[in-house]
């Protein structure tokens, strides 16, 4: 198991060394149970609570203590302080306390005499000291602080749901392999269905949209291993796995893609190739439907001839494009 510890000389991951995942940019660790199910235990935070908890953990100091106030959380999220937001933050803190993730104090001394007994009495500028109980003695997610800042600013400028966007970002981060002895090191491959399920995103178009934002903001680099025609009784294009890596690790990503292509017989193809294949599939279905007719008219036979000719041309174009 991995134990996270903060020391004066910097952040150290004992038992497993992690080098330059975010190219030496500031990073934060949170338990994976905040994001997704772990070992059969349900995720403990919803997307809004997850975003707030992430902001809290980003203030972690060398004393294993998070130092913040309600106003600072609102400011970092680019949200104007109001009573609804205050309640959301306090409810999140209460949940972290109930789930034995943090003890909250009102003095830096962190003595039990300074325990905050009633979080509801907190005012906007009251300093809060969150002493960590869970030291990540298990699954954890590592994310880049500057990525969160980029997403907050993008959301404010483009009217994108910040909580949903950050949830997808953190889920992908939680899937990145951090074992430098593994062939998947610095890569992850969460399926679209899993992203939709864990992040509770109904439309896959939204997931693709968020991925485009990650690429635009230079947060993740990602690509399919490739494609191959599924010959298991059907003519169709089958996608390889979509691999993700934190931006800046493109050489590692390309090498991982190369290995997957060699292992599974995928090949990189253009969008034009995919369009030609899909057109061929459509024509093949039309040919099959005409051939199924018990009695064919002269018109049917003429259509069949033209379709077969068109299919032959497509086959040649596909060979050229490939």
């Amino acid at each position: 198991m991995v134990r996270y510890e903060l020391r004066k000389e910097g952040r150290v991951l004992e038992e497993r060394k992690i080098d330059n995942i975010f190219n030496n940019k500031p990073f934060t660790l949170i338990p994976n149970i905040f994001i997704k199910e772990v070992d059969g235990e349900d995720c403990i935070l919803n997307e809004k609570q997850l975003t707030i908890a992430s902001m809290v953990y980003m203030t972690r100091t060398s004393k294993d203590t998070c130092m913040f106030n309600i106003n600072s959380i609102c400011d970092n999220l680019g949200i104007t302080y109001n009573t609804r937001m205050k309640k959301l933050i306090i409810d999140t803190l209460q949940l972290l306390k109930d789930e034995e993730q943090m003890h909250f104090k009102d003095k830096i001394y962190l003595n039990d005499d300074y325990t905050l007994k009633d979080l509801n009495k907190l005012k906007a500028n009251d300093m809060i000291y969150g002493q960590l109980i869970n030291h990540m003695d298990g699954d954890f997610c590592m994310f880049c602080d500057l990525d969160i800042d980029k997403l907050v600013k993008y959301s404010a400028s483009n009217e994108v749901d910040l909580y949903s966007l950050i949830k997808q970002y953190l889920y992908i981060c939680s899937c990145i392999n951090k074992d430098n002895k593994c062939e998947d090191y610095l890569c992850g491959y969460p399926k679209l269905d899993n992203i939709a399920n864990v992040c509770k995103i109904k439309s896959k178009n939204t997931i693709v949209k968020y991925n485009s934002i990650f690429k635009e903001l230079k947060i993740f680099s990602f690509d399919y291993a490739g494609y191959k025609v599924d010959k298991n009784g059907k003519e169709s294009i089958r996608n390889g796995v979509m691999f993700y890596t934190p931006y800046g690790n493109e050489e590692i990503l390309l090498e991982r893609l190369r290995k997957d292509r060699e292992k599974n017989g995928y090949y990189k193809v253009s969008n034009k190739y995919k369009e030609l294949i899909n057109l061929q599939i459509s024509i093949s279905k039309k040919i099959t439907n005409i051939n199924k007719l018990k009695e064919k008219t002269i018109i049917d036979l003429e259509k069949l001839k033209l379709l077969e000719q068109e299919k032959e041309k497509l086959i040649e174009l596909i060979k050229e494009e490939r």
Side-chain angles (χ1 to χ4, degrees):
M1 306 298 279
V2 180
R3 182 163 64 87
Y4 176 79
E5 185 173 324
L6 288 169
R7 296 178 177 171
K8 289 182 180 179
E9 66 270 21
R11 300 180 178 193
V12 177
L13 287 166
E14 290 192 349
E15 300 177 21
R16 183 179 297 167
K17 186 179 179 182
I18 296 179
D19 296 320
N20 299 329
I21 289 182
F22 296 110
N23 298 300
N24 296 317
K25 296 173 185 174
F27 63 86
T28 296
L29 301 184
I30 59 173
N32 268 336
I33 197 70
F34 287 7
I35 304 167
K36 60 187 181 182
E37 177 184 307
V38 175
D39 296 331
E41 294 187 22
D42 291 338
C43 170
I44 63 175
L45 303 178
N46 63 34
E47 59 184 21
K48 290 184 178 181
Q49 294 163 344
L50 171 62
T51 297
I52 290 168
S54 299
M55 287 293 176
V56 170
Y57 273 70
M58 283 167 62
T59 69
R60 186 175 184 173
T61 70
S62 58
K63 290 187 176 183
D64 269 357
T65 301
C66 298
M67 301 170 58
F68 61 98
N69 59 40
I70 294 173
N71 248 342
S72 67
I73 298 297
C74 291
D75 287 345
N76 289 333
L77 286 172
I79 296 173
T80 304
Y81 171 87
N82 56 58
T83 54
R84 182 181 297 177
M85 194 63 197
K86 176 186 176 182
K87 183 180 186 306
L88 179 58
I89 292 171
I90 288 176
D91 287 349
T92 302
L93 299 182
Q94 186 64 53
L95 186 55
L96 293 175
K97 178 182 176 182
D98 294 343
E99 292 289 337
E100 298 186 341
Q101 299 293 329
M102 281 190 183
H103 285 314
F104 294 102
K105 318 283 185 179
D106 60 5
K107 292 288 188 296
I108 193 64
Y109 306 114
L110 305 178
N111 188 283
D112 287 345
D113 294 339
Y114 301 106
T115 297
L116 282 167
K117 295 182 174 60
D118 188 355
L119 296 175
N120 288 301
K121 292 182 179 179
L122 285 168
K123 296 179 181 178
N125 290 311
D126 287 347
M127 205 62 196
I128 305 166
Y129 302 89
Q131 189 175 22
L132 267 67
I133 303 170
N134 181 351
H135 291 268
M136 258 70 78
D137 291 329
D139 281 341
F140 64 90
C141 169
M142 184 177 187
F143 67 88
C144 178
D145 297 3
L146 296 178
D147 287 348
I148 296 291
D149 184 50
K150 289 178 182 178
L151 295 175
V152 168
K153 290 176 179 175
Y154 186 94
S155 173
S157 301
N158 296 274
E159 297 184 354
V160 174
D161 184 340
L162 175 63
Y163 301 115
S164 179
L165 184 64
I166 287 180
K167 173 79 177 198
Q168 182 169 319
Y169 164 73
L170 291 174
Y171 176 61
I172 294 173
C173 284
S174 77
C175 297
I176 300 296
N177 188 292
K178 298 176 283 293
D179 184 353
N180 58 14
K181 296 178 181 179
C182 178
E183 71 171 354
D184 290 331
Y185 177 57
L186 293 189
C187 293
Y189 38 92
K191 296 180 180 178
L192 282 181
D193 287 343
N194 290 342
I195 295 175
N197 182 49
V198 172
C199 301
K200 295 181 171 55
I201 299 175
K202 295 180 180 179
S203 170
K204 289 186 179 180
N205 288 336
T206 301
I207 296 173
V208 173
K209 175 184 175 182
Y210 289 172
N211 277 350
S212 297
I213 293 171
F214 299 147
K215 179 172 282 189
E216 177 185 341
L217 297 179
K218 297 183 178 180
I219 289 174
F220 290 121
S221 294
F222 49 87
D223 199 359
Y224 282 111
Y227 308 87
K228 65 181 177 182
V229 177
D230 186 354
K231 296 180 180 178
N232 187 23
K234 294 182 179 180
E235 283 187 310
S236 61
I237 293 178
R238 187 155 66 91
N239 290 340
V241 173
M242 173 77 88
F243 284 92
Y244 297 78
T245 192
Y247 184 81
N249 299 301
E250 287 69 32
E251 289 186 8
I252 290 175
L253 175 64
L254 290 173
E255 177 62 17
R256 187 64 187 88
L257 292 172
R258 183 190 65 77
K259 289 181 180 179
D260 202 56
R261 286 166 187 158
E262 289 181 357
K263 180 180 178 181
N264 296 297
Y266 294 116
Y267 49 87
K268 188 69 176 172
V269 297
S270 65
N271 288 331
K272 183 179 178 182
Y273 176 88
K274 288 185 284 182
E275 289 171 4
L276 291 171
I277 284 287
N278 288 328
L279 185 54
Q280 181 190 354
I281 292 167
S282 175
I283 290 173
S284 295
K285 287 178 180 178
K286 291 177 182 179
I287 291 172
T288 300
N289 290 335
I290 292 175
N291 284 327
K292 285 180 180 179
L293 295 174
K294 292 181 179 180
E295 295 182 5
K296 300 179 182 66
T297 65
I298 294 176
I299 295 175
D300 291 331
L301 293 171
E302 188 62 30
K303 280 184 179 178
L304 186 61
K305 182 180 178 181
L306 291 171
L307 287 170
E308 287 175 342
Q309 289 174 351
E310 190 173 351
K311 183 177 178 180
E312 288 300 318
K313 291 179 182 178
L314 278 171
I315 289 172
E316 291 304 315
L317 288 172
I318 288 168
K319 287 178 181 178
E320 292 175 9
E321 187 63 29
R322 182 173 175 180

